[in-house]
């Protein structure tokens, strides 16, 4: 999705270093799409995907990719000052504010002086041109996130988290992203939202018992996608990068 939006898989000014060969972490890598794409684009660099659990989709990975099971909130299994670039995105539904602070403290520890950290998160609380079905869903969804101590508009806070951790030279950008309309980025954004929505079925069923039926719930989620296309719904994606201070 992001390569369609930004015409690149990253924003940090590290192209030359990636070409030469550096150590890269993709934290909370999930299906490792970013990890593998970057590894293929930069074969001289070493990429390590970290996640608490892995899917079975890590097939035919390049030789410069490795995966490690770990909880990034508790620890990042690398030596101090050993990583050149730390990448993390779309963990809004997985990290509380305190979790984000601990994760960035761990990232700060493993990054080399002058190394880059890059974060990307969606703001789920602010939507443009939202229809009634999605609006109702989003009220329930964001309310559930808050009850779990999560931050629905995490994207708006990543700049502050980086500053609080001690990073410097912070760059922040907010972009309007179409949902299921206009271009490929909008199509891919809807795919991410749809997968997130389907994964929330147990919680949504607590609010409406009718959603305990898989078919009914899938129809409900797909109705949101159709509505987004009709109303030209937009959400906001925030990206920030920064450096660990030079010693």
């Amino acid at each position: 999705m992001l390569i369609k939006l930004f015409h690149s898989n990253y924003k940090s000014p590290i192209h030359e270093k990636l070409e030469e060969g550096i150590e890269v972490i993709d934290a909370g890598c999930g299906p490792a799409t970013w990890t593998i794409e970057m590894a293929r684009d930069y074969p001289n660099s070493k990429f390590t995907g970290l996640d608490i659990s892995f899917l079975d989709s890590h097939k035919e990975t390049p030789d410069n990719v490795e995966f490690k099971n770990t909880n990034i909130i508790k620890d990042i299994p690398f030596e101090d000052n050993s990583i050149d670039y730390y990448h993390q995105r779309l963990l809004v539904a997985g990290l509380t504010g305190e979790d984000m602070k601990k994760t960035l403290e761990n990232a700060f520890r493993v990054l080399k002086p002058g190394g880059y950290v890059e974060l990307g998160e969606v703001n789920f609380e602010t939507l443009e041109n939202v229809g009634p079905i999605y609006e109702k869903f989003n009220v329930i969804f964001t309310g559930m996130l808050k009850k779990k101590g999560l931050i629905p508009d995490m994207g708006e806070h990543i700049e502050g988290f980086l500053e609080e951790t001690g990073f410097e030279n912070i760059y922040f950008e907010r972009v309007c992203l179409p949902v299921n309309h206009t271009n490929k980025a909008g199509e891919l954004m809807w795919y991410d939202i749809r997968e997130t929505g389907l994964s929330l079925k147990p919680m949504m069923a607590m609010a409406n018992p009718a959603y305990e039926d898989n078919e009914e719930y899938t129809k409900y989620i797909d109705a949101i996608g159709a509505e987004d296309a009709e109303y030209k719904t937009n959400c906001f994606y925030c990206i920030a990068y920064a450096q660990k201070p030079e010693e």
Side-chain angles (χ1 to χ4, degrees), residues 92 95-97 100 121-122 151-158 161:
V92 59
L95 297 180
T96 66
M100 179 65 85
E121 292 293 348
V122 174
I151 305 173
D153 62 341
M154 176 67 86
E156 305 296 336
H157 300 273
I158 55 178
F161 281 123

Side-chain angles (χ1 to χ4, degrees), residues 194-215:
R194 184 179 188 274
E195 291 301 302
T196 299
L198 291 174
S199 73
L200 295 173
K201 176 182 170 290
M203 288 191 294
M204 296 298 292
M206 294 173 63
N208 186 341
Y211 297 149
E212 291 180 3
D213 182 87
N214 287 333
E215 185 175 349

Side-chain angles (χ1 to χ4, degrees), residues 126-130 176 231-236:
T126 304
L127 299 169
E128 285 186 343
N129 309 325
V130 62
C176 184
Y231 280 71
K232 305 297 184 187
T233 303
N234 299 316
C235 67
F236 292 90

Side-chain angles (χ1 to χ4, degrees), residues 156-170:
E156 305 296 336
H157 300 273
I158 55 178
E159 183 178 15
F161 281 123
L162 289 170
E163 183 176 7
E164 183 179 342
T165 307
F167 290 100
E168 62 182 16
N169 302 325
I170 300 172

Side-chain angles (χ1 to χ4, degrees), residues 17-181:
K17 292 182 178 180
L18 285 166
E19 290 277 10
E20 293 170 1
I22 58 175
E23 290 283 341
V24 180
I25 284 176
D26 186 19
C29 65
T33 302
W34 186 93
T35 322
I36 294 171
E37 287 182 358
M38 286 288 287
R40 287 173 176 159
D41 288 343
Y42 298 100
N44 292 332
S45 289
K46 172 67 180 301
F47 294 83
T48 303
L50 305 180
D51 210 306
I52 198 167
S53 61
F54 288 109
L55 302 175
D56 295 329
S57 57
H58 301 153
K59 299 174 183 177
E60 299 181 3
T61 56
D63 292 339
N64 58 332
V65 172
E66 180 183 6
F67 296 108
K68 293 185 179 182
N69 285 96
T70 190
N71 184 338
I72 60 173
I73 301 168
K74 296 180 178 180
D75 184 45
I76 294 175
F78 286 86
E79 298 293 328
D80 295 0
N81 307 313
S82 62
I83 300 300
D84 299 280
Y85 176 43
Y86 176 95
H87 173 267
Q88 177 184 303
R89 71 181 186 189
L90 299 177
L91 297 183
V92 59
L95 297 180
T96 66
E98 285 302 311
D99 292 340
M100 179 65 85
K101 291 177 184 179
K102 292 175 182 177
T103 299
L104 289 179
E105 288 171 359
N106 290 332
F108 192 92
R109 176 185 65 79
V110 301
L111 276 170
K112 296 176 182 177
Y116 280 89
V117 57
E118 183 167 328
L119 306 176
E121 292 293 348
V122 174
N123 178 351
F124 281 116
E125 280 205 312
T126 304
L127 299 169
E128 285 186 343
N129 309 325
V130 62
I133 303 175
Y134 194 6
E135 184 173 23
K136 183 177 180 180
F137 171 84
N138 208 50
V139 168
I140 298 171
F141 170 57
T142 57
M144 288 178 172
L145 291 181
K146 290 176 181 178
K147 285 182 179 179
K148 295 174 66 177
L150 301 168
I151 305 173
D153 62 341
M154 176 67 86
E156 305 296 336
H157 300 273
I158 55 178
E159 183 178 15
F161 281 123
L162 289 170
E163 183 176 7
E164 183 179 342
T165 307
F167 290 100
E168 62 182 16
N169 302 325
I170 300 172
Y171 169 92
F172 176 83
E173 182 178 356
R174 180 191 300 106
V175 296
C176 184
L177 187 63
V179 182
N180 208 27
H181 63 88

Side-chain angles (χ1 to χ4, degrees), residues 215-227:
E215 185 175 349
E216 281 298 313
Y217 186 68
T218 300
K219 287 181 181 178
Y220 170 61
I221 296 298
D222 288 339
I224 294 174
E227 182 183 80

